[in-house]
Amino acid sequence: MDYLDTKGRIFDIQKYSVHDGPGIRTIVFLKGCVLRCRWCCNPESQEYRIQNMKVLGEDKVIGRDVTVREMIEEVEKDRAYYYRSGGGITLSGGEPLQQKDFALDILQKCREHRIHTAVETNLLTDINTLEAFLPWVDLWMCDFKMADDTLHRKWTGHSNVPIIKNLEFLAKQAVPMTIRTPIIPNVNDSEEAIESICRFIRQLPNQPAYELLGFHSLGFVKFENLGMKNPLSNSAFLKKGQLQKLNEILIRYNLNNNKK
């Protein structure tokens, strides 16, 4: 079978994005994720199965099966924007590394077309999978939610030990990488939580970039529309100036959150 006929399952395609990698990008959101983060902004991405969700009062099917060929044809439509802005394609989710063959084949074809590739990942995978992706990813965008394993288990459902090992592995490869922490109220929004992450990142080789992501509650209504209980309070919010205060910690640790 031609690898362009490899099938995968996605739930959305977002064009003209400027927040998920350099330049203007097309983001392909893949279905399926092992983690169950209570603040997930895309809870419709967690299950690999195709689901129904209420959108503006109407039932909407979430998830569809597509081929690599279809995705490349869609991405190619905006080639001119990528070249002018230094943009490209970003695979997100869910967790794109879970659909290994599909994701790899998309990235390989994009490389052949000289389109910049980025992957947003929680890194909850094995080293062999990372090694398979290394030749085809121009930028790794890695979530690291908290350094404390007990808290990571509580809030995401899984240990962060394999994530830490994979961050160390990627750092040793000297690949372009940005580590990102979403700041969640009453979860990891303390100075102690961010300082513990900063200490970990500072000891990594080939110093990766680090940035904090502001909290938003876009996932709350999605949980309800999927018929799921919202695992966080709808009243959760960051204190005024909290994100700026936490960013000052990055400066103290000499971590450049604007570095690519």
Side-chain angles (χ1 to χ4, degrees):
M1 182 183 74
D2 189 329
Y3 78 94
L4 290 175
D5 295 320
T6 302
K7 286 188 176 181
R9 183 165 293 174
I10 68 170
F11 69 94
D12 198 10
I13 299 173
Q14 181 180 324
K15 295 199 167 193
Y16 313 119
S17 172
V18 294
H19 300 294
D20 297 272
I24 296 173
R25 310 191 70 79
T26 296
I27 309 176
V28 180
F29 293 89
L30 280 65
K31 266 280 209 173
C33 184
V34 174
L35 294 182
R36 290 297 180 266
C37 304
R38 298 193 191 182
W39 55 86
C40 183
C41 61
N42 290 322
E44 73 272 33
S45 75
Q46 294 179 353
E47 296 285 345
Y48 178 74
R49 65 184 175 89
I50 294 174
Q51 298 168 282
N52 288 318
M53 184 172 76
K54 290 285 185 181
V55 178
L56 299 176
E58 301 289 334
D59 284 333
K60 180 180 179 181
V61 176
I62 304 297
R64 61 187 176 98
D65 293 334
V66 297
T67 64
V68 172
R69 190 186 312 276
E70 291 175 89
M71 289 297 91
I72 296 302
E73 289 175 355
E74 192 64 34
V75 170
E76 277 281 354
K77 293 177 182 178
D78 296 317
R79 174 190 286 269
Y81 295 106
Y82 310 146
Y83 284 177
R84 292 172 186 168
S85 67
I89 184 175
T90 298
L91 297 187
S92 187
E95 174 48 58
L97 301 190
Q98 281 191 207
Q99 296 191 48
K100 179 180 177 180
D101 292 341
F102 178 61
L104 277 174
D105 288 348
I106 290 177
L107 296 172
Q108 179 179 342
K109 194 61 180 178
C110 285
R111 269 293 190 81
E112 291 176 6
H113 288 220
R114 297 182 180 180
I115 295 173
H116 184 277
T117 60
V119 169
E120 293 182 325
T121 174
N122 59 39
L123 285 183
L124 195 57
T125 189
D126 58 88
I127 294 294
N128 289 337
T129 294
L130 291 184
E131 289 178 333
F133 275 85
L134 282 176
W136 311 112
V137 179
D138 292 314
L139 174 63
W140 293 83
M141 306 176 76
C142 307
D143 280 357
F144 188 42
K145 299 165 179 64
M146 56 198 72
D148 185 284
D149 185 52
T150 300
L151 291 178
H152 197 276
R153 289 175 183 269
K154 172 184 176 181
W155 291 104
T156 74
H158 283 269
S159 169
N160 68 2
V161 171
I163 295 171
I164 288 174
K165 289 181 179 178
N166 287 334
L167 284 169
E168 292 171 338
F169 170 79
L170 285 180
K172 289 178 182 177
Q173 312 311 308
V175 296
M177 175 170 61
T178 298
I179 299 173
R180 306 190 300 178
T181 300
I183 302 302
I184 313 302
N186 305 314
V187 175
N188 64 352
D189 60 338
S190 69
E191 293 187 34
E192 292 78 11
I194 301 307
E195 284 186 349
S196 64
I197 296 176
C198 287
R199 286 193 295 270
F200 165 73
I201 295 175
R202 283 295 298 163
Q203 57 85 37
L204 290 175
N206 304 303
Q207 198 68 74
Y210 182 46
E211 63 181 13
L212 306 181
L213 305 178
F215 172 76
H216 62 73
S217 58
L218 296 178
F220 288 169
V221 68
K222 291 184 179 182
F223 277 105
E224 297 167 3
N225 290 343
L226 285 165
M228 301 166 64
K229 181 180 179 182
N230 179 3
L232 282 183
S233 168
N234 282 337
S235 62
F237 61 92
L238 289 176
K239 296 177 182 177
K240 184 177 180 180
Q242 183 69 356
L243 187 60
Q244 179 180 350
K245 185 177 182 181
L246 295 177
N247 267 308
E248 292 174 357
I249 297 175
L250 274 61
I251 297 173
R252 293 207 305 268
Y253 279 84
N254 196 29
L255 293 173
N256 182 4
N257 62 331
N258 293 315
K259 177 183 174 184
K260 294 295 182 183

